[in-house]
Amino acid sequence: MFSSKKKQPPIRTLIGEGTVIQGEVRFTEGLRIDGEVHGDVFATGEGHSILVISEKARVHGKVKAAHVIINGSVAGPVVSDGLLELQPKASIVGDVRYEVLEMHQGATIEGDMRPLKAEEKPALKLAASNGG
């Protein structure tokens, strides 16, 4: 899946510890959050993106990016179009959708977890229901 290691985009934006942002945050390439965001956080544009939510960070809103690394807390749904990494101190209260998941011991999720591909799968058919 990730065997053709793509180079990570640079993290050009930092929301520092002690900073509180009210409102939606949109970014390209990379964003690291060490502070607090009250609003949705979205990667925009085409291409690979990375979002790091550090151990001290708090996000109250939707989160969406290709590669998402969480070690802080998120109160809202999380969508990762690529790799979702949940570090030991990650805490999510909300539904989680991912392409690939890496979850460390200690991470917690209160919500529904489903791979993105599961939403595209057709309904299951039982083999016994064949016309025979």
Side-chain angles (χ1 to χ4, degrees):
M1 293 180 193
F2 278 90
S3 58
S4 61
K5 281 279 195 194
K6 292 181 181 177
K7 186 179 177 192
Q8 289 288 356
I11 294 178
R12 298 187 190 276
T13 307
L14 168 68
I15 297 173
E17 187 177 347
T19 302
V20 178
I21 294 184
Q22 300 274 349
E24 184 176 271
V25 176
R26 293 186 176 267
F27 68 97
T28 58
E29 293 183 326
L31 168 65
R32 177 183 173 99
I33 300 174
D34 291 336
E36 197 167 329
V37 176
H38 294 268
D40 299 340
V41 179
F42 291 111
T44 60
E46 297 297 317
H48 199 60
S49 59
I50 184 167
L51 171 62
V52 178
I53 299 173
S54 77
E55 179 180 337
K56 299 171 186 172
R58 305 288 173 258
V59 175
H60 305 274
K62 298 175 188 172
V63 170
K64 186 175 190 303
H67 185 175
V68 180
I69 302 170
I70 301 174
N71 201 24
S73 73
V74 176
V78 175
V79 178
S80 171
D81 299 329
L83 174 62
L84 173 60
E85 293 182 51
L86 300 179
Q87 301 292 322
K89 295 186 179 179
S91 171
I92 300 172
V93 177
D95 293 345
V96 176
R97 302 289 178 266
Y98 57 89
E99 183 71 28
V100 177
L101 174 66
E102 179 181 310
M103 185 171 180
H104 292 257
Q105 183 175 350
T108 61
I109 298 172
E110 291 182 41
D112 195 29
M113 285 182 62
R114 281 192 285 172
L116 289 170
K117 290 183 179 175
E119 295 171 0
E120 300 170 4
K121 290 181 181 176
L124 293 174
K125 293 183 180 179
L126 298 174
S129 67
N130 292 349

